Amino acid sequence: MFDPQTYSQRRQKLAESVGGGVVLLLGHSHSPMNYADNYYPFRQDSTFLYYIGLDQPDLAAVIDTDSGRTTVFGHPPTVDDVIWSGPQRSLNQLAQLTGADLAAPIRSLQRSLDRAKKQVRPVHFFRPCRAATGNWLTALLGPDAEGGVSGELIAAIVAQRLIKEPQEVAEIESALEVTARMHIDAMRLAAPGIVEGVIAGHVESLAIAHGARLAYPCIFTRHGEVLHNHSYHHKLKAGDLVVHDSGASSRRHYASDITRTIPVSGPFNERQRTVYHAVLTALEGAMEQIRPGIRYRDIHLDAARSITCSLQQAGLMKGDLEESVAEGAHGLFFPHGLGHMMGLDVHDMENLGEDRVGYDTDTQRVNQFGLRSLRLGKFLESGHVLTVEPGCYFIEALIDQWQQQKRHERFINYAEVRRWCGLGGVRIEENVVVTPDGHRILGPPIPRSVEDVECACQTELN
Amino acid sequence: MFDPQTYSQRRQKLAESVGGGVVLLLGHSHSPMNYADNYYPFRQDSTFLYYIGLDQPDLAAVIDTDSGRTTVFGHPPTVDDVIWSGPQRSLNQLAQLTGADLAAPIRSLQRSLDRAKKQVRPVHFFRPCRAATGNWLTALLGPDAEGGVSGELIAAIVAQRLIKEPQEVAEIESALEVTARMHIDAMRLAAPGIVEGVIAGHVESLAIAHGARLAYPCIFTRHGEVLHNHSYHHKLKAGDLVVHDSGASSRRHYASDITRTIPVSGPFNERQRTVYHAVLTALEGAMEQIRPGIRYRDIHLDAARSITCSLQQAGLMKGDLEESVAEGAHGLFFPHGLGHMMGLDVHDMENLGEDRVGYDTDTQRVNQFGLRSLRLGKFLESGHVLTVEPGCYFIEALIDQWQQQKRHERFINYAEVRRWCGLGGVRIEENVVVTPDGHRILGPPIPRSVEDVECACQTELN
């Protein structure tokens, strides 16, 4: 946790933005794997973490925005809890840690909400992402909870959480210290004959050793063209290209999110180098432009332009560059967005609504293939933390579909594209904070240039 | 998966036991960590795995026990699924893998159930452990789903799953191959100055490398007296005793569950050796008795007798042995049960009801402290797979409570017990299958004797 003042101040700001009524924040319970007592590693709700910070299951908090008082609700610990789970903090101790005014047993939460409703004061809440928490909300608020969600509350939370405090950026950088080691180790371990899972397992062990977890399931695959590939059963072969997308959480649960593409045998072959260079050029061109006041969708489109230009040089694409980008022909190779906001969640606040985070009235989501997957389109501001992650893939199912539909034939050399199938995919990803006069790449450097990656891949892990 | 016949035969047997109506089996969906698309590693519902075997989210199956036909329901894959998640099997291919007769899109499941209800045929179901699946059940069956659960169905499932097929025992032994390496590596890695999480992370990496996961969260702690301790932040010190309780899943998701207690500096000190020897003697005495027709509660009580006897010799307990055990004085040191059933779940079928699995009309659960935590009390049968896991702990909060209440003063030397506080805890656990004429300890041997453990702890991992 941060110090109690951090949470008090965040709640005070929230109370001012929401303006009247009470805010109900529900924490997560344990999430069962196969039966109630065999649960996944606990992950608190991110908004609860942001405003309350207490990292244990079955808590709730009510912020009275009129009086400014916060009450933490929980189960008073029993001797049985101590026997099974070790020394427990009292509810008052928990309240002190977050700078709350009151602590109360969870059974009094219902009474507290009923009182607010009786006084005809609004109860602000949002729909939780977990069904168990959703059922709890419904039990507390009745049918109100089903449809109604407080738009003011979500807008206030999003506005506040999007601008990172310096201590939050420091947390993300602490996660990146671990993530750098994960990626450098993976480059050194990757070799013909090794099963992907051995390296994926090692990567996860480093996050656990650091006292945290991965921020999202690791991608480590010779089939990088499958964008969300979470299987690790292939044996690596000479000449393979591996997409490795993984990031540790910090101890306070801030995410990091880094991708590198690894040539298994050490040097890239010629086609691999061509594609790698195309993606790297797009990445570096995109990062250079990051500053307050620029629209991220424009940077995305510029990255698309950069990749299209490189693919034209390689004979994979053709025709007028601007028309090609405007019509979205590059979507065949780069079907996802350039990046997304990052913070306590790797896709920050995605549970509050992707469009509420990445778009606004000035910038609305566009429905073109590729562009519709762009999670962040709006103008950047100082304090935003985001990912930059261009990619280029050879996805046979998509190539089949487009070629059959004769889609973008003016811009794509399908015959040549076929020859490159089997290459897999390349993605390179960095995490960046927007500063008042530009940007800063977060975390320690991780090999990224062709030469540095090849060198790291030819070094063995000792 | 096993071959299609396995699943057909299992379903046929189930249909015969249930006798009439349709059986509804719901598979699990992904379980979100912090937002819907950032989910935990997928774990299928175990009963669904047992009868259907398909290991992917958002499936359902209906077994018509009258016609004997099984229908698998799922989402027909789209090109988008292929782009994001790789090559997909068609619903017909899924049905073939499990030997089902029909495949149908999930939207027709509601119609199928409505038809059965209209025909006044019983729909057999059980309450899922996950809230999301529970909500799905309620949406499908309406208010019926809330209270009603099919007692016949649960009894039939429990009776069938409790007797392991040879191929299931082989799966558990394949998990134990990995688990053995996890425990031997941990003994070699444990050394003063190492943070617990480094070893816990390594243990988890071995399970991932094997293409599976841990069957339950790893316990690796110098505070073994906290029975379910899932934190790994302590630095190991010379003289520490570490409880290490972890088990890999097999690729088909069968569990293993092994505990060893590790002297960090290599040799046990005198008190540690005394307690270790007490637990080891209880374990070996208990395993020797395992055979069909013996009540597991009697073996538990015999283990309690063995531990009490050892603690009397050490001066920690006193008084009449039989009276002491009958009154449950040993519960201060051994507050949990001797073991539980194991299979697809590490506590097999706990989500169907612990008492339906471990007790029956011949053996009812006893409410004495210690004994009430015994998950398995009933008569053993050939084909049962279970854990044997006696332990002995010095839990200060419990000692404080009992001493204040002057509980069992006739049997406990509280003054001497105080002197041993800080030792932590010892648990040793093996997995055993009941055979027609006795039992067999499953998996490869893992150092267990005082000498073997000390030797493994003094070997470094190369």
Side-chain angles (χ1 to χ4, degrees):
Chain A
M1 288 185 72
F2 294 115
D3 60 306
Q5 286 74 21
T6 293
Y7 300 102
S8 299
Q9 284 164 10
R10 288 177 179 173
R11 290 191 301 265
Q12 199 181 331
K13 195 166 167 191
L14 180 70
E16 286 160 17
S17 310
V18 170
V22 300
V23 172
L24 169 64
L25 298 177
L26 298 181
H28 279 161
S29 304
H30 278 301
S31 198
M33 275 195 274
N34 47 342
Y35 55 88
D37 281 352
N38 197 31
Y39 35 74
Y40 288 112
F42 180 68
R43 177 57 160 79
Q44 184 60 285
D45 172 76
S46 296
T47 298
F48 196 88
L49 274 180
Y50 185 83
Y51 290 107
I52 307 294
L54 296 168
D55 189 19
Q56 62 183 66
D58 302 321
L59 298 175
V62 168
I63 306 167
D64 186 320
T65 69
D66 300 309
S67 72
R69 292 208 300 194
T70 296
T71 310
V72 170
F73 296 85
H75 295 279
T78 64
V79 172
D80 254 26
D81 293 330
V82 178
I83 295 172
W84 291 91
S85 308
Q88 305 287 311
R89 290 200 174 90
S90 72
L91 290 183
N92 279 327
Q93 286 171 322
L94 292 180
Q96 273 164 27
L97 285 172
T98 185
D101 308 274
L102 294 165
I106 200 104
R107 60 184 155 70
S108 64
L109 174 59
Q110 183 75 62
R111 212 161 37 207
S112 164
L113 295 172
D114 290 347
R115 200 179 314 126
K117 282 162 91 176
K118 210 168 155 189
Q119 295 165 344
V120 207
R121 301 174 66 202
V123 177
H124 300 282
F125 63 92
F126 58 88
R127 288 286 328 156
C129 71
R130 294 191 181 174
T133 325
N135 292 349
W136 188 17
L137 187 73
T138 304
L140 286 166
L141 297 182
D144 291 1
E146 286 306 320
V149 154
S150 165
E152 306 96 292
L153 177 65
I154 291 179
I157 293 171
V158 169
Q160 191 173 356
R161 282 179 56 189
L162 269 186
I163 307 300
K164 266 63 183 176
E165 303 159 359
Q167 62 191 350
E168 294 187 278
V169 176
E171 274 296 304
I172 293 169
E173 294 212 85
S174 84
L176 282 163
E177 294 284 339
V178 184
T179 301
R181 204 179 137 203
M182 283 157 43
H183 279 272
I184 294 167
D185 275 16
M187 288 176 188
R188 293 179 179 172
L189 284 167
I194 306 269
V195 174
E196 294 162 346
V198 171
I199 303 176
H202 177 73
V203 159
E204 191 149 350
S205 77
L206 293 176
I208 296 169
H210 182 68
R213 285 268 159 187
L214 295 178
Y216 55 96
C218 170
I219 294 172
F220 189 93
T221 177
R222 61 194 290 273
H223 286 290
E225 78 281 8
V226 177
L227 299 180
H228 282 170
N229 196 337
H230 296 141
S231 66
Y232 315 125
H233 60 278
H234 290 105
K235 194 175 275 192
L236 301 182
K237 289 192 296 210
D240 277 351
L241 205 54
V242 168
V243 170
H244 174 205
D245 184 345
S246 73
S249 292
S250 74
R251 291 194 193 177
R252 292 186 181 97
H253 305 288
Y254 283 80
S256 62
D257 182 356
I258 296 289
T259 307
R260 288 293 184 271
T261 302
I262 301 174
V264 168
S265 324
F268 292 96
N269 68 33
E270 208 177 307
R271 282 184 179 160
Q272 290 171 347
R273 188 176 290 116
T274 300
V275 178
Y276 191 89
H277 196 262
V279 175
L280 186 62
T281 305
L283 171 76
E284 292 179 348
M287 286 197 298
E288 259 174 37
Q289 298 176 59
I290 291 177
R291 63 178 187 276
I294 193 165
R295 194 179 244 152
Y296 200 60
R297 187 170 62 210
D298 292 335
I299 306 185
H300 169 91
L301 288 170
D302 199 62
R305 203 172 287 119
S306 170
I307 287 172
T308 303
C309 183
S310 297
L311 295 182
Q312 287 187 351
Q313 282 162 17
L316 291 156
M317 295 188 78
K318 60 188 177 183
D320 183 81
L321 181 64
E322 289 305 320
E323 273 185 61
S324 179
V325 171
E327 296 195 18
H330 56 273
L332 183 64
F333 306 97
F334 175 34
H336 60 72
L338 185 65
H340 50 79
M341 296 291 194
M342 204 182 83
L344 279 163
D345 307 301
V346 61
H347 295 170
D348 211 23
M349 297 175 273
E350 190 165 302
N351 64 318
L352 299 178
E354 206 173 279
D355 281 4
R356 290 173 190 261
V357 176
Y359 291 87
D360 56 21
T361 44
D362 291 332
T363 314
Q364 312 257 324
R365 195 184 284 250
V366 176
N367 195 29
Q368 187 186 70
F369 182 84
L371 215 44
R372 72 168 174 246
S373 299
L374 179 63
R375 292 194 159 85
L376 169 59
K378 71 183 181 186
F379 289 99
L380 299 183
E381 291 176 50
S382 178
H384 285 170
V385 172
L386 55 130
T387 69
V388 191
E389 46 176 318
C392 183
Y393 315 87
F394 293 84
I395 308 169
E396 287 204 52
L398 192 62
I399 295 165
D400 289 347
Q401 191 195 44
W402 280 31
Q403 193 172 13
Q404 277 164 27
Q405 297 170 349
K406 301 186 192 299
R407 208 160 153 182
H408 300 307
E409 277 191 323
R410 280 198 298 153
F411 305 117
I412 298 167
N413 278 326
Y414 283 107
E416 183 64 18
V417 170
R418 289 279 167 204
R419 281 183 213 112
W420 293 55
C421 278
L423 185 142
V426 171
R427 182 167 63 254
I428 320 174
E429 177 178 26
E430 295 285 16
N431 303 156
V432 174
V433 61
V434 184
T435 59
D437 49 4
H439 68 272
R440 186 164 66 82
I441 302 178
L442 295 174
I446 302 168
R448 193 174 75 199
S449 70
V450 167
E451 300 69 31
D452 288 353
V453 169
E454 287 183 340
C455 176
C457 290
Q458 285 172 69
T459 310
E460 280 192 27
L461 187 69
N462 57 358
Chain B
M1 289 185 72
F2 295 115
D3 61 308
Q5 288 72 24
T6 293
Y7 301 101
S8 299
Q9 284 164 11
R10 286 176 180 173
R11 290 191 300 264
Q12 199 181 329
K13 195 167 168 191
L14 180 70
E16 286 160 15
S17 309
V18 170
V22 300
V23 172
L24 169 64
L25 298 177
L26 297 181
H28 280 162
S29 303
H30 278 301
S31 198
M33 274 193 275
N34 47 341
Y35 55 89
D37 280 352
N38 197 32
Y39 34 74
Y40 289 112
F42 181 69
R43 179 54 159 81
Q44 184 60 287
D45 173 76
S46 296
T47 298
F48 196 88
L49 275 180
Y50 186 83
Y51 290 107
I52 307 293
L54 296 168
D55 188 19
Q56 61 183 67
D58 302 320
L59 297 175
V62 167
I63 306 167
D64 185 318
T65 69
D66 300 307
S67 71
R69 291 208 301 193
T70 296
T71 309
V72 170
F73 296 86
H75 296 280
T78 65
V79 172
D80 254 28
D81 293 331
V82 179
I83 295 173
W84 291 92
S85 308
Q88 305 287 310
R89 290 200 175 88
S90 71
L91 291 183
N92 279 326
Q93 285 171 322
L94 292 179
Q96 273 165 29
L97 284 173
T98 185
D101 308 274
L102 293 165
I106 200 105
R107 59 185 156 70
S108 64
L109 174 59
Q110 182 75 64
R111 215 163 33 211
S112 164
L113 295 171
D114 290 348
R115 200 180 313 126
K117 282 162 89 176
K118 210 168 154 188
Q119 294 166 344
V120 208
R121 300 174 65 202
V123 177
H124 300 283
F125 62 92
F126 57 87
R127 287 291 322 160
C129 70
R130 293 191 183 176
T133 325
N135 292 350
W136 188 18
L137 187 73
T138 304
L140 286 166
L141 298 182
D144 290 2
E146 286 306 321
V149 154
S150 165
E152 307 96 294
L153 177 65
I154 291 179
I157 292 171
V158 169
Q160 191 173 354
R161 283 180 55 188
L162 269 186
I163 307 300
K164 266 65 184 176
E165 302 159 0
Q167 62 190 351
E168 295 187 277
V169 176
E171 275 296 304
I172 294 169
E173 294 212 85
S174 84
L176 283 163
E177 294 284 338
V178 184
T179 302
R181 199 174 143 208
M182 283 156 45
H183 280 272
I184 293 167
D185 275 15
M187 287 175 188
R188 291 178 179 173
L189 284 167
I194 306 268
V195 174
E196 293 163 346
V198 171
I199 303 176
H202 177 74
V203 159
E204 192 148 350
S205 77
L206 293 176
I208 296 169
H210 181 68
R213 286 268 158 187
L214 296 178
Y216 55 94
C218 170
I219 294 172
F220 190 93
T221 179
R222 60 193 291 274
H223 286 290
E225 77 281 8
V226 177
L227 299 180
H228 282 169
N229 196 337
H230 296 142
S231 65
Y232 315 124
H233 60 277
H234 290 105
K235 194 175 274 195
L236 299 182
K237 291 192 294 207
D240 277 351
L241 205 53
V242 168
V243 170
H244 174 206
D245 184 344
S246 74
S249 291
S250 74
R251 289 192 195 180
R252 293 186 179 97
H253 304 288
Y254 283 79
S256 63
D257 183 358
I258 295 290
T259 307
R260 289 293 186 271
T261 302
I262 301 175
V264 168
S265 324
F268 292 96
N269 68 33
E270 207 176 309
R271 282 184 180 161
Q272 289 171 346
R273 188 176 290 115
T274 300
V275 177
Y276 192 89
H277 197 263
V279 174
L280 185 63
T281 305
L283 171 76
E284 293 178 347
M287 287 198 296
E288 259 174 38
Q289 298 175 61
I290 291 177
R291 62 177 187 278
I294 192 165
R295 193 178 244 154
Y296 200 60
R297 187 170 62 210
D298 292 336
I299 306 186
H300 170 91
L301 288 169
D302 199 63
R305 201 172 289 117
S306 171
I307 287 173
T308 304
C309 183
S310 296
L311 295 182
Q312 287 186 351
Q313 282 161 19
L316 291 155
M317 295 188 77
K318 60 189 177 182
D320 182 81
L321 182 63
E322 289 305 321
E323 273 185 62
S324 179
V325 171
E327 297 195 17
H330 57 273
L332 182 65
F333 306 97
F334 176 34
H336 60 72
L338 184 65
H340 50 80
M341 295 291 193
M342 205 181 83
L344 278 163
D345 306 302
V346 59
H347 294 170
D348 212 22
M349 297 176 274
E350 190 166 302
N351 63 319
L352 299 177
E354 206 174 278
D355 280 5
R356 289 173 190 262
V357 176
Y359 291 86
D360 56 21
T361 44
D362 290 334
T363 314
Q364 312 256 322
R365 195 184 284 250
V366 175
N367 194 27
Q368 187 186 69
F369 182 84
L371 214 43
R372 70 167 175 246
S373 299
L374 179 63
R375 292 193 158 87
L376 170 59
K378 71 184 181 186
F379 289 98
L380 299 182
E381 291 176 50
S382 178
H384 285 169
V385 172
L386 54 128
T387 69
V388 191
E389 47 176 318
C392 183
Y393 315 87
F394 293 84
I395 307 168
E396 287 204 51
L398 192 63
I399 295 164
D400 289 346
Q401 190 194 44
W402 280 31
Q403 193 172 13
Q404 276 164 27
Q405 296 170 348
K406 300 186 191 299
R407 207 159 154 183
H408 300 307
E409 277 190 324
R410 281 198 298 151
F411 304 117
I412 298 167
N413 278 326
Y414 283 106
E416 183 63 16
V417 171
R418 289 279 166 203
R419 280 182 213 113
W420 292 55
C421 277
L423 184 142
V426 171
R427 181 166 64 253
I428 319 174
E429 176 179 25
E430 296 284 15
N431 302 156
V432 174
V433 60
V434 184
T435 58
D437 49 4
H439 68 273
R440 186 163 66 81
I441 302 178
L442 295 174
I446 302 169
R448 193 173 75 201
S449 70
V450 168
E451 300 69 30
D452 288 353
V453 169
E454 288 182 339
C455 176
C457 290
Q458 285 171 69
T459 309
E460 279 192 29
L461 187 69
N462 57 0

